[in-house]
Amino acid sequence: MKIGILGNGQLGQMALDSIRDLTDLEVSLYDLRAHSDAALDTFLASVDRVSYETENIPAPIVARLEPVADKLFPSLKALKTFQNRLLEKNALRAAGIATAEFCAVNSLDDVKQAVEQLGLPIVLKTTTEGYDGKGQYVLRSADDAEPAWQAIGNRELIAEAFVSFSRETSVIASRDVHGNMVVWPMTENVHHEGILRYSLYPCAGLSADKAAQAEHYIRQLADSLDYVGTITLELFETDSGLVANEVAPRVHNSGHWSIEGAETSQFRNHMLAIAGRELGATTAKYNAVAMINVISDEGPAEKAENISNAFRHSYGKEARPARKLGHVTVVADSVEQRDNTISELSGLIPDGVWKV
Ligand code: AMP
């Protein structure tokens, strides 16, 4: 079977790598940046199944997927829903999942109206193409309405009530064509300057109730869309329970730990799901795992080469400020051992960002 993936970044590459042993599955990646309609149509015609490593696919390309919608996994509906933060929030609500209060914003007057309706602070976001905290503005006073609209407005926005959370977490699952689902244990995710810096398994101190809530949420969401593939739900932890932030209709940076850390990785199960195969177990293989992003500079990751319980992944990308260049996974028998290894990898996590 031939599987084509739209996007040839690290996510597509790791998906391809995850099933190298399955020689009857042939994977090719399509470079969305070098797009031409003719090249895309040829690519789509040459494969049996199509998937994507990013939801940021321009509308003209999405339109060309319509005729091949029956071989696209996750579905066109899932892609369109999670491309747009308003549709996404509506889908979350429809699946019974808690979210921040929100409203649509299409003008400066709407921003002022949102302040009235939601109270302050408010997080204003572009409905499309936002990632790593880009296209966002936090309003702390009513006077921020105009600068916020100037900064990111003149296009469709969503206003969200500010969620006062204690930490950020995510839950990732894969669902097969028959509706069977497997769910990985959750991670705690720590961001810095809008970018994920590291994810930790286990999600320390998470109550059994909240873990069950997260699993229930992701099952409800995936079932509601008859979803096929790997799906990620980012959740804020609050005193009163988990509140959904956003969904990725794909594998996610916070799930990279599963390559070495779990019985089956998020990438492999994604590929198995879209190929119509049975999914693998998602249990963790170690008592403690960390995934640390390598950002801007690969230097600090080099130390991982000499540490037996650390695995370095380099994406082969040119260094640029704030760019994800790779990640390092640390596996350990205990949280203490994991954290000791992380301290040997000095410089990988910026000063003040490591939580311990
Ligand atoms: P997003 O791109 O939606 O994941 O937002 C980027 C980051 O902004 C999140 O990881 C949170 O740290 C923060 N954030 C986003 N939405 C909210 C919200 N409604 N309340 C509080 N913080 C938020």
Side-chain angles (χ1 to χ4, degrees):
M1 177 184 285
K2 292 185 179 168
I3 301 173
I5 298 181
L6 303 177
N8 66 344
Q10 66 263 22
L11 300 182
Q13 192 59 52
M14 287 188 274
L16 187 156
D17 289 340
S18 73
I19 51 162
R20 282 196 187 276
D21 59 318
L22 305 178
T23 47
D24 56 329
L25 297 181
E26 194 182 309
V27 184
S28 46
L29 307 181
Y30 177 79
D31 182 356
L32 285 163
R33 288 159 306 180
H35 167 75
S36 78
D37 286 350
L40 178 64
D41 291 347
T42 306
F43 179 81
L44 296 173
S46 71
V47 295
D48 305 302
R49 303 279 158 92
V50 185
S51 192
Y52 42 91
E53 62 148 25
T54 173
E55 61 278 24
N56 285 325
I57 301 178
I61 297 185
V62 175
R64 297 196 92 77
L65 302 176
E66 302 271 358
V68 295
D70 57 340
K71 59 180 180 184
L72 182 72
F73 300 97
S75 69
L76 205 49
K77 181 169 182 212
L79 174 62
K80 288 181 178 174
T81 302
F82 299 127
Q83 275 192 324
N84 179 298
R85 290 185 192 272
L86 274 171
L87 299 179
E88 176 176 284
K89 283 275 189 308
N90 286 329
L92 286 162
R93 287 286 179 96
I97 298 169
T99 70
E101 292 300 318
F102 66 95
C103 61
V105 166
N106 289 296
S107 65
L108 176 57
D109 271 352
D110 286 354
V111 184
K112 293 176 180 164
Q113 179 68 39
V115 173
E116 297 278 305
Q117 190 184 325
L118 306 174
L120 288 162
I122 277 181
V123 187
L124 204 59
K125 304 177 180 177
T126 57
T127 52
T128 57
E129 288 163 28
Y131 64 95
D132 287 350
K134 294 186 175 67
Q136 299 199 11
Y137 200 105
V138 179
L139 284 80
R140 300 194 184 275
S141 93
D143 294 340
D144 291 338
E146 197 147 352
W149 180 253
Q150 293 300 332
I152 61 166
N154 294 309
R155 57 187 290 181
E156 188 186 55
L157 303 178
I158 180 174
E160 295 177 17
F162 193 87
V163 178
S164 39
F165 56 85
S166 50
R167 62 177 169 177
E168 298 187 63
T169 67
S170 56
V171 61
I172 303 179
S174 294
R175 187 173 182 277
D176 74 13
V177 290
H178 307 293
N180 300 308
M181 277 184 79
V182 289
V183 184
W184 281 267
M186 291 170 73
T187 56
E188 170 173 356
N189 305 325
V190 177
H191 298 80
H192 179 60
E193 295 172 348
I195 302 175
L196 180 67
R197 288 307 308 215
Y198 59 91
S199 294
L200 301 176
Y201 163 81
C203 194
L206 188 80
S207 71
D209 281 355
K210 284 180 180 166
Q213 185 182 34
E215 180 161 344
H216 175 68
Y217 278 172
I218 201 156
R219 285 182 182 276
Q220 290 286 112
L221 181 64
D223 284 344
S224 72
L225 287 160
D226 197 15
Y227 190 94
V228 175
T230 294
I231 183 168
T232 306
L233 177 58
E234 292 186 69
L235 295 157
F236 297 129
E237 185 175 6
T238 76
D239 291 345
S240 53
L242 299 169
V243 175
N245 174 27
E246 62 175 352
V247 180
R250 54 172 167 81
V251 291
H252 192 257
N253 196 171
S254 64
H256 293 359
W257 71 276
S258 62
I259 297 175
E260 290 88 7
E263 293 292 341
T264 314
S265 78
Q266 60 165 353
F267 300 99
R268 188 173 172 95
N269 269 344
H270 181 72
M271 300 304 277
L272 292 172
I274 61 179
R277 307 265 170 104
E278 202 179 319
L279 305 178
T282 49
T283 9
K285 291 204 288 191
Y286 301 90
N287 292 327
V289 185
M291 186 293 306
I292 304 155
N293 273 334
V294 180
I295 294 172
S296 310
D297 172 18
E298 292 212 74
E302 282 166 15
K303 293 190 197 86
E305 308 276 0
N306 301 316
I307 299 175
S308 62
N309 59 326
F311 300 88
R312 181 184 175 193
H313 297 252
S314 175
Y315 307 152
K317 299 201 299 200
E318 201 181 307
R320 256 194 255 137
R323 193 173 204 202
K324 290 176 185 169
L325 304 174
H327 73 269
V328 172
T329 303
V330 173
V331 301
D333 292 336
S334 67
V335 167
E336 192 189 3
Q337 190 201 353
R338 179 196 70 192
D339 294 352
N340 286 338
T341 303
I342 292 174
S343 43
E344 284 176 52
L345 293 161
S346 54
L348 197 51
I349 299 175
D351 288 343
V353 181
W354 177 235
K355 61 175 205 118
V356 181

Short mmCIF file of all heavy atoms in Angstrom, two decimals, residues 85 100 123 125 130-133 136 160-165 168 191 234 236 245-246, ligand 1:
data_model
loop_
_atom_site.label_atom_id
_atom_site.label_comp_id
_atom_site.label_asym_id
_atom_site.label_seq_id
_atom_site.Cartn_x
_atom_site.Cartn_y
_atom_site.Cartn_z
N ARG A 85 -10.05 27.89 14.61
CA ARG A 85 -10.26 27.82 16.07
C ARG A 85 -11.73 27.93 16.48
O ARG A 85 -12.11 27.41 17.53
CB ARG A 85 -9.45 28.92 16.77
CG ARG A 85 -7.96 28.71 16.73
CD ARG A 85 -7.29 29.81 17.56
NE ARG A 85 -5.86 29.86 17.38
CZ ARG A 85 -4.98 29.16 18.10
NH1 ARG A 85 -5.39 28.34 19.03
NH2 ARG A 85 -3.68 29.30 17.87
N ALA A 100 -12.72 27.26 27.33
CA ALA A 100 -12.91 28.64 27.79
C ALA A 100 -14.17 29.19 27.11
O ALA A 100 -14.53 28.74 26.01
CB ALA A 100 -11.70 29.47 27.39
N VAL A 123 -7.92 36.42 25.75
CA VAL A 123 -6.90 36.05 24.76
C VAL A 123 -7.57 36.13 23.39
O VAL A 123 -8.55 35.44 23.13
CB VAL A 123 -6.35 34.62 25.00
CG1 VAL A 123 -5.18 34.35 24.05
CG2 VAL A 123 -5.92 34.44 26.44
N LYS A 125 -7.21 35.61 19.40
CA LYS A 125 -6.38 34.78 18.51
C LYS A 125 -6.92 34.84 17.09
O LYS A 125 -8.14 34.92 16.90
CB LYS A 125 -6.42 33.30 18.94
CG LYS A 125 -6.02 33.04 20.37
CD LYS A 125 -6.17 31.55 20.70
CE LYS A 125 -5.76 31.27 22.14
NZ LYS A 125 -5.95 29.86 22.52
N GLY A 130 -2.54 30.09 13.32
CA GLY A 130 -1.77 30.42 14.52
C GLY A 130 -1.02 29.20 15.01
O GLY A 130 -1.54 28.10 14.96
N TYR A 131 0.21 29.35 15.41
CA TYR A 131 0.94 28.25 16.05
C TYR A 131 2.04 28.84 16.90
O TYR A 131 2.45 29.99 16.70
CB TYR A 131 1.51 27.26 15.02
CG TYR A 131 2.56 27.87 14.12
CD1 TYR A 131 3.91 27.73 14.43
CD2 TYR A 131 2.21 28.59 12.99
CE1 TYR A 131 4.88 28.31 13.62
CE2 TYR A 131 3.17 29.16 12.18
CZ TYR A 131 4.50 29.02 12.50
OH TYR A 131 5.46 29.60 11.71
N ASP A 132 2.51 28.05 17.88
CA ASP A 132 3.56 28.50 18.78
C ASP A 132 3.30 29.91 19.31
O ASP A 132 4.21 30.75 19.42
CB ASP A 132 4.94 28.45 18.09
CG ASP A 132 5.43 27.02 17.90
OD1 ASP A 132 4.82 26.10 18.48
OD2 ASP A 132 6.43 26.82 17.18
N GLY A 133 2.04 30.20 19.65
CA GLY A 133 1.71 31.48 20.27
C GLY A 133 1.68 32.66 19.30
O GLY A 133 1.48 33.80 19.70
N GLN A 136 -1.52 35.98 18.41
CA GLN A 136 -2.28 36.07 19.66
C GLN A 136 -2.00 37.39 20.36
O GLN A 136 -0.92 37.96 20.22
CB GLN A 136 -1.87 34.95 20.62
CG GLN A 136 -2.16 33.60 20.05
CD GLN A 136 -2.21 32.52 21.10
OE1 GLN A 136 -2.23 32.80 22.29
NE2 GLN A 136 -2.27 31.29 20.66
N GLU A 160 -11.15 34.55 23.59
CA GLU A 160 -11.35 33.51 24.61
C GLU A 160 -11.17 34.12 25.99
O GLU A 160 -10.23 34.91 26.20
CB GLU A 160 -10.30 32.40 24.47
CG GLU A 160 -10.38 31.61 23.19
CD GLU A 160 -9.26 30.57 23.12
OE1 GLU A 160 -8.63 30.25 24.15
OE2 GLU A 160 -9.01 30.11 21.99
N ALA A 161 -12.03 33.75 26.91
CA ALA A 161 -11.81 34.14 28.30
C ALA A 161 -10.47 33.53 28.75
O ALA A 161 -10.12 32.44 28.30
CB ALA A 161 -12.93 33.64 29.19
N PHE A 162 -9.75 34.24 29.58
CA PHE A 162 -8.46 33.75 30.06
C PHE A 162 -8.71 32.63 31.08
O PHE A 162 -9.49 32.78 32.01
CB PHE A 162 -7.70 34.91 30.73
CG PHE A 162 -6.26 34.61 30.97
CD1 PHE A 162 -5.30 34.85 30.00
CD2 PHE A 162 -5.84 34.05 32.19
CE1 PHE A 162 -3.97 34.56 30.22
CE2 PHE A 162 -4.51 33.76 32.41
CZ PHE A 162 -3.57 34.02 31.43
N VAL A 163 -8.04 31.51 30.87
CA VAL A 163 -8.20 30.37 31.79
C VAL A 163 -7.04 30.42 32.79
O VAL A 163 -5.87 30.42 32.39
CB VAL A 163 -8.13 29.03 31.02
CG1 VAL A 163 -8.23 27.84 31.97
CG2 VAL A 163 -9.21 28.97 29.94
N SER A 164 -7.35 30.51 34.09
CA SER A 164 -6.21 30.48 35.03
C SER A 164 -5.92 29.03 35.38
O SER A 164 -6.61 28.41 36.16
CB SER A 164 -6.39 31.36 36.26
OG SER A 164 -7.64 31.29 36.70
N PHE A 165 -4.89 28.56 34.71
CA PHE A 165 -4.55 27.14 34.83
C PHE A 165 -3.30 26.98 35.68
O PHE A 165 -2.50 27.90 35.81
CB PHE A 165 -4.35 26.52 33.45
CG PHE A 165 -3.32 27.21 32.57
CD1 PHE A 165 -1.98 26.92 32.67
CD2 PHE A 165 -3.72 28.17 31.63
CE1 PHE A 165 -1.04 27.53 31.84
CE2 PHE A 165 -2.79 28.79 30.80
CZ PHE A 165 -1.45 28.48 30.92
N GLU A 168 -0.07 23.05 31.87
CA GLU A 168 -0.59 22.59 30.58
C GLU A 168 -0.25 21.11 30.40
O GLU A 168 0.85 20.67 30.76
CB GLU A 168 -0.01 23.43 29.44
CG GLU A 168 -0.43 24.90 29.58
CD GLU A 168 -0.02 25.77 28.41
OE1 GLU A 168 -0.50 25.52 27.29
OE2 GLU A 168 0.78 26.69 28.61
N HIS A 191 6.02 25.33 28.34
CA HIS A 191 6.31 26.23 27.22
C HIS A 191 7.16 27.40 27.71
O HIS A 191 7.11 27.77 28.87
CB HIS A 191 5.02 26.80 26.63
CG HIS A 191 4.10 25.76 26.06
ND1 HIS A 191 3.27 25.00 26.84
CD2 HIS A 191 3.90 25.35 24.79
CE1 HIS A 191 2.59 24.17 26.07
NE2 HIS A 191 2.95 24.35 24.81
N GLU A 234 -4.87 19.32 23.63
CA GLU A 234 -4.11 20.07 24.64
C GLU A 234 -5.09 20.57 25.69
O GLU A 234 -6.14 21.13 25.35
CB GLU A 234 -3.39 21.24 24.00
CG GLU A 234 -2.26 20.81 23.07
CD GLU A 234 -1.46 22.01 22.57
OE1 GLU A 234 -0.75 22.63 23.36
OE2 GLU A 234 -1.59 22.31 21.37
N PHE A 236 -5.71 22.52 29.58
CA PHE A 236 -5.27 23.28 30.75
C PHE A 236 -5.75 22.53 31.98
O PHE A 236 -6.91 22.10 32.05
CB PHE A 236 -5.92 24.67 30.77
CG PHE A 236 -5.55 25.56 29.62
CD1 PHE A 236 -6.54 26.19 28.87
CD2 PHE A 236 -4.22 25.80 29.29
CE1 PHE A 236 -6.22 27.03 27.82
CE2 PHE A 236 -3.89 26.65 28.23
CZ PHE A 236 -4.88 27.27 27.50
N ASN A 245 -7.75 23.37 25.40
CA ASN A 245 -7.20 24.56 24.74
C ASN A 245 -7.33 24.38 23.24
O ASN A 245 -8.08 25.08 22.59
CB ASN A 245 -5.75 24.79 25.16
CG ASN A 245 -5.10 25.92 24.37
OD1 ASN A 245 -5.79 26.82 23.92
ND2 ASN A 245 -3.79 25.86 24.18
N GLU A 246 -6.59 23.42 22.69
CA GLU A 246 -6.72 23.22 21.25
C GLU A 246 -6.48 21.77 20.85
O GLU A 246 -5.98 20.98 21.63
CB GLU A 246 -5.83 24.18 20.46
CG GLU A 246 -4.36 24.04 20.70
CD GLU A 246 -3.56 24.95 19.77
OE1 GLU A 246 -4.13 25.57 18.86
OE2 GLU A 246 -2.33 25.02 19.96
P1 AMP B 1 -2.44 28.15 21.62
O1 AMP B 1 -1.71 28.54 20.38
O2 AMP B 1 -3.92 28.33 21.54
O3 AMP B 1 -2.04 26.81 22.14
O4 AMP B 1 -1.95 29.19 22.74
C1 AMP B 1 -0.58 29.32 23.09
C2 AMP B 1 -0.43 29.47 24.58
O5 AMP B 1 -1.13 30.64 25.06
C3 AMP B 1 -1.02 28.31 25.35
O6 AMP B 1 -0.12 27.25 25.42
C4 AMP B 1 -1.29 28.96 26.70
O7 AMP B 1 -0.09 29.04 27.46
C5 AMP B 1 -1.72 30.38 26.33
N1 AMP B 1 -3.18 30.46 26.19
C6 AMP B 1 -3.88 30.22 25.05
N2 AMP B 1 -5.21 30.36 25.26
C7 AMP B 1 -5.37 30.71 26.55
C8 AMP B 1 -6.50 31.01 27.38
N3 AMP B 1 -7.76 31.02 26.90
N4 AMP B 1 -6.27 31.31 28.68
C9 AMP B 1 -5.02 31.33 29.17
N5 AMP B 1 -3.90 31.09 28.45
C10 AMP B 1 -4.06 30.78 27.15
#
